[in-house]
């Protein structure tokens, strides 16, 4: 798919308002989104793709002039798992983010300046409520499926709990119904790294040099948690750079160079305040708001496919099994597969062959169910 | 499972430990849980299913009594297929030849078998008795035919319909 273009949908313009789960109010909310394939006449073939923490609306195909395709191009397109010959695929950026949707780096109309920390707290449920506004706008009553990995999986789960009648299936991948203390701990180190950078300046850094160093270190920590012991061994081993280094503690090992490179390139595309807001949204997420998850899922008619990966230690398989268990107890039709992979948490972006096989057949079945009704 | 779903229009869920077989099951449009039977049943509420089918799997289970109890708890009835290690051909191989039996129904060498239990049909009915499990129906099968008498000697497999 060439010449894919990002579109923008703005809603809740005054006097309307977008009420957040915290009770705070946002106005003029913009969502960046892309679509691939065609919506059929019955409007029954739409699938919403939900991106992970630092992802964006550009899930597939090429933007004009780009050399790299969207982040899940292996999975979305003609003949792929989310087959654009059959399905109308939508991917929207989340609110609170920094890739075209309203977030802390957006201009606050009331002050004419970027929100910074005046931006209200955002939850996973708020992200889903905003997506629902987009789905309403597109005239889609019922999505064939909602699918995503990691934070995207949380959104899929949130759709299942909040809007069970608006979806026919859900595919939460490498995710969790709520974060463990270990996951919160890694996020907290990332946040501390950003907030201890003097350039962060209480979140008020727009127009001047931002907390690049702090954000880069946060990303380095993130990347460690996305890989596995085995995948790092295979990718880097103990390989070292040849020659004399400018200073004693410059990066000698390949793995050091890789993390520094990833950190430095990340700051060019991501906003530090969005990093803070989105990690908090994930940490506070609890799919069932304190009650047993199976109670929250009770009565959901959607079919569910849960996928986990063996070497994922950030979102370990037992987190996925908790979701499966709740589905079983709630009488929700659920399938579960734990894919053998050494890629760690990144596997949900990399193990496309196995994922595609499961998802394509699961979707075909979900689509067929409709025809019989 | 595919036949049951298509011909009898039942709602069925599989429990499968092998990843390749999980993929095959999803490919057939069926629901499946990737995991062992020990963990696959315990999550369900009481009487979630009309039938739980344990087909030639009890000999591969670590915690036999727990799985049997779980199956009888989550299913109103349980259909269980049990291999008979006391089949006369097995007895001959072990008793006369002094070798670990290999039969068409239990075709594994001792060093590669997935079976961790060697039970007989009498062993199984003994276990049912111990747990107060009702045997509602039983059939015994030899090499492709019903076995009318002395099943613990002449049957390769026993199929039992049991309940609490």
């Amino acid at each position: 798919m060439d010449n894919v273009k990002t579109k923008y949908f703005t809603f809740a313009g005054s006097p309307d308002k977008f009420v957040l789960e915290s009770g705070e109010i946002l106005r003029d909310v913009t969502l960046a989104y892309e679509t691939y394939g065609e919506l059929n006449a019955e409007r029954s073939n739409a699938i919403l793709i939900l991106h992970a923490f630092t992802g964006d609306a550009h899930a597939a195909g090429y933007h004009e002039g780009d050399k790299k395709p969207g982040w899940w191009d292996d999975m979305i397109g003609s003949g792929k798992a989310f087959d654009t010959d059959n399905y109308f695929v939508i991917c929207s950026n989340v609110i609170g983010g920094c890739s075209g949707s309203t977030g802390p780096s957006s201009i606050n109309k009331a002050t004419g300046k970027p929100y910074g920390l005046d931006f209200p707290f955002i939850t996973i449920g708020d992200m889903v409520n905003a997506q629902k506004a987009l789905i309403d706008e597109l005239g889609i009553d019922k999505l064939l499926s909602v699918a995503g990995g990691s934070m995207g999986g949380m959104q899929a789960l949130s759709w299942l709990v909040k809007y069970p009648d608006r979806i026919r299936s859900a595919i939460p991948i490498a995710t969790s119904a709520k974060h463990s203390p270990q996951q919160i701990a890694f996020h907290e180190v990332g946040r501390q790294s950003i907030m201890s950078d003097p350039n962060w300046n209480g979140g008020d850094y727009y127009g001047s040099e931002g907390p690049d160093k702090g954000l880069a270190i946060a990303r380095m920590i993130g990347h460690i948690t996305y890989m596995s012991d085995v995948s790092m061994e295979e990718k880097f081993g103990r390989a070292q750079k040849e020659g004399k280094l400018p200073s004693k503690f410059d990066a000698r090992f390949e793995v050091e160079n890789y993390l520094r490179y990833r950190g430095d390139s990340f700051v060019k595309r991501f906003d530090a305040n969005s990093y803070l807001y989105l990690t908090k949204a994930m940490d506070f997420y609890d799919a069932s708001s304190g009650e047993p998850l199976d109670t929250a899922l009770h009565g959901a008619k959607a079919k569910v496919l849960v996928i986990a990966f063996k070497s994922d230690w950030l979102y370990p398989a037992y987190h996925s099994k908790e979701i499966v268990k709740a589905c079983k107890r709630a009488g929700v039709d659920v399938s579960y597969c734990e894919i053998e992979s050494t890629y760690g948490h990144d596997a949900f972006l990399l193990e496309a062959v196995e994922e595609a096989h499961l998802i394509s057949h699961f979707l075909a079945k979900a689509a067929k169910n409709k025809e019989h009704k | 499972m595919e036949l049951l779903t298509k011909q009898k229009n039942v709602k069925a869920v599989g429990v499968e430990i092998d990843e390749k077989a999980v993929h095959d099951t999803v490919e057939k449009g069926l629901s499946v849980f990737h995991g062992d039977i020990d963990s696959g049943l315990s999550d369900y509420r009481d009487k979630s299913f009309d039938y739980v089918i344990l087909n030639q799997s009890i000999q591969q289970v670590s915690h036999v009594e727990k799985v049997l109890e779980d199956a009888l708890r989550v299913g109103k009835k349980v259909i269980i297929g049990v291999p008979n290690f006391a089949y006369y051909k097995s007895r001959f191989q072990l008793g006369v030849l002094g070798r670990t039996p290999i039969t068409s129904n239990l075709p594994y060498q001792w060093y590669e078998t997935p079976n961790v239990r060697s039970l007989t049909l009498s062993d199984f009915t003994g276990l049912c008795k111990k747990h107060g499990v009702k045997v509602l129906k039983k059939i015994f099968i030899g090499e492709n035919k019903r076995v009318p008498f002395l099943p613990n000697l002449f049957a390769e497999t026993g199929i039992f319909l049991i309940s609490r």
Side-chain angles (χ1 to χ4, degrees), chain A residues 365, chain B residues 1-15 25 28-31 49-55 77-79:
Chain A
K365 172 75 179 170
Chain B
M1 195 175 144
E2 193 182 14
L3 285 178
L4 282 172
T5 310
K6 281 195 176 143
Q7 294 180 2
K8 303 278 184 183
N9 202 22
V10 301
K11 227 183 111 213
V13 189
V15 178
T25 313
K28 290 182 193 299
L30 302 168
S31 299
F49 298 95
D50 293 322
Y51 292 96
V52 172
I53 301 174
L54 296 169
N55 191 19
K77 289 173 186 167
V78 175
I79 300 170

Side-chain angles (χ1 to χ4, degrees), chain A residues 218-251:
Chain A
R219 184 60 171 175
M220 289 166 81
I221 297 157
H223 266 289
I224 298 168
T225 66
Y226 305 151
M227 290 187 275
S228 76
D229 186 33
V230 174
S231 69
M232 285 177 114
E233 182 63 42
E234 282 170 356
K235 200 176 170 95
F236 314 111
R238 286 179 55 83
Q240 296 174 35
K241 221 157 74 178
E242 301 289 324
K244 199 170 155 23
L245 294 176
S247 86
K248 278 198 182 75
F249 292 104
D250 263 342

Side-chain angles (χ1 to χ4, degrees), chain A residues 8-80:
Chain A
Y8 299 91
F9 164 57
T10 299
F11 63 102
S14 193
D16 285 349
K17 59 191 177 189
F18 182 62
V19 182
L20 300 168
E21 288 190 332
S22 64
E24 292 196 65
I25 284 163
L26 270 181
R27 285 210 163 85
D28 305 301
V29 180
T30 297
L31 276 191
Y33 71 101
E34 295 191 0
T35 64
Y36 322 100
E38 301 292 328
L39 187 61
N40 62 12
E42 304 87 55
R43 300 178 170 265
S44 65
N45 68 336
I47 296 170
L48 180 64
I49 302 292
L50 309 152
H51 69 70
F53 175 25
T54 65
D56 54 29
H58 182 36
Y62 292 82
H63 284 170
E64 200 176 350
D66 273 5
K67 289 200 177 68
K68 272 176 70 179
W71 57 270
W72 226 13
D73 191 70
D74 285 342
M75 296 286 288
I76 304 164
S78 175
K80 298 179 186 176

Side-chain angles (χ1 to χ4, degrees), chain A residues 294 303 305 310 321 324-325 328-331 333-340 354 357-358 361-362 365, chain B residues 5 11 13 19 22-24 26-35 39-45 48:
Chain A
D294 58 305
K303 278 170 67 76
L305 171 64
K310 270 227 166 70
K321 282 188 190 163
V324 175
K325 178 180 178 175
K328 284 175 169 181
R329 293 184 66 81
D333 184 345
V334 61
S335 283
Y336 170 66
C337 187
E338 191 175 320
I339 294 175
E340 181 77 47
E354 281 75 14
H357 184 261
L358 292 169
H361 291 288
F362 174 79
K365 172 75 179 170
Chain B
T5 310
K11 227 183 111 213
V13 189
E19 188 183 324
V22 170
H23 279 259
D24 294 345
V26 173
E27 188 173 330
K28 290 182 193 299
L30 302 168
S31 299
V32 62
F33 172 78
H34 186 190
S39 63
L41 286 175
S42 55
D43 292 342
Y44 287 106
R45 288 182 192 278
S48 294

Side-chain angles (χ1 to χ4, degrees), chain A residues 146-364:
Chain A
V146 289
S150 201
M151 188 180 87
M154 290 179 170
Q155 294 163 63
L157 212 50
S158 183
W159 268 94
L160 188 61
V161 172
K162 289 172 79 86
Y163 303 111
D165 299 332
R166 298 292 300 269
I167 59 173
R168 274 158 46 209
S169 69
I171 311 175
I173 305 169
T175 193
S176 173
K178 52 176 180 268
H179 264 181
S180 66
Q182 190 191 50
Q183 291 168 314
I184 297 170
F186 278 117
H187 274 171
E188 175 59 6
V189 178
R191 287 190 291 264
Q192 285 299 329
S193 171
I194 290 166
M195 293 187 291
S196 59
D197 186 324
N199 286 344
W200 181 61
N201 191 32
D204 183 13
Y205 54 80
Y206 300 107
S208 57
E209 196 186 333
D212 291 356
K213 202 69 224 170
L215 182 59
I217 293 169
R219 184 60 171 175
M220 289 166 81
I221 297 157
H223 266 289
I224 298 168
T225 66
Y226 305 151
M227 290 187 275
S228 76
D229 186 33
V230 174
S231 69
M232 285 177 114
E233 182 63 42
E234 282 170 356
K235 200 176 170 95
F236 314 111
R238 286 179 55 83
Q240 296 174 35
K241 221 157 74 178
E242 301 289 324
K244 199 170 155 23
L245 294 176
S247 86
K248 278 198 182 75
F249 292 104
D250 263 342
R252 173 69 83 178
F253 289 100
E254 282 295 327
V255 63
E256 295 174 307
N257 276 304
Y258 174 81
L259 289 176
R260 288 185 189 197
Y261 167 76
R262 283 306 189 117
D264 291 343
S265 51
F266 184 63
V267 302
K268 292 177 194 132
R269 71 173 177 92
F270 213 80
D271 173 50
N273 283 336
S274 274
Y275 198 103
L276 301 177
Y277 277 92
L278 295 184
T279 54
K280 274 289 180 193
M282 282 184 267
D283 290 348
F284 277 112
Y285 180 61
D286 177 350
S288 53
S289 316
E291 63 178 353
L293 184 55
D294 58 305
T295 312
L297 291 175
H298 196 79
K301 299 238 173 14
K303 278 170 67 76
V304 179
L305 171 64
V306 178
I307 300 174
F309 299 90
K310 270 227 166 70
S311 55
D312 185 348
W313 56 275
L314 185 63
Y315 288 81
Y318 81 86
H319 285 216
S320 288
K321 282 188 190 163
E322 284 297 316
I323 299 167
V324 175
K325 178 180 178 175
C327 288
K328 284 175 169 181
R329 293 184 66 81
V332 172
D333 184 345
V334 61
S335 283
Y336 170 66
C337 187
E338 191 175 320
I339 294 175
E340 181 77 47
S341 170
T342 57
Y343 284 122
H345 187 52
D346 271 341
F348 83 89
L349 294 167
L350 300 171
E351 295 287 5
V353 177
E354 281 75 14
E355 255 179 323
H357 184 261
L358 292 169
I359 290 173
S360 58
H361 291 288
F362 174 79
L363 286 176

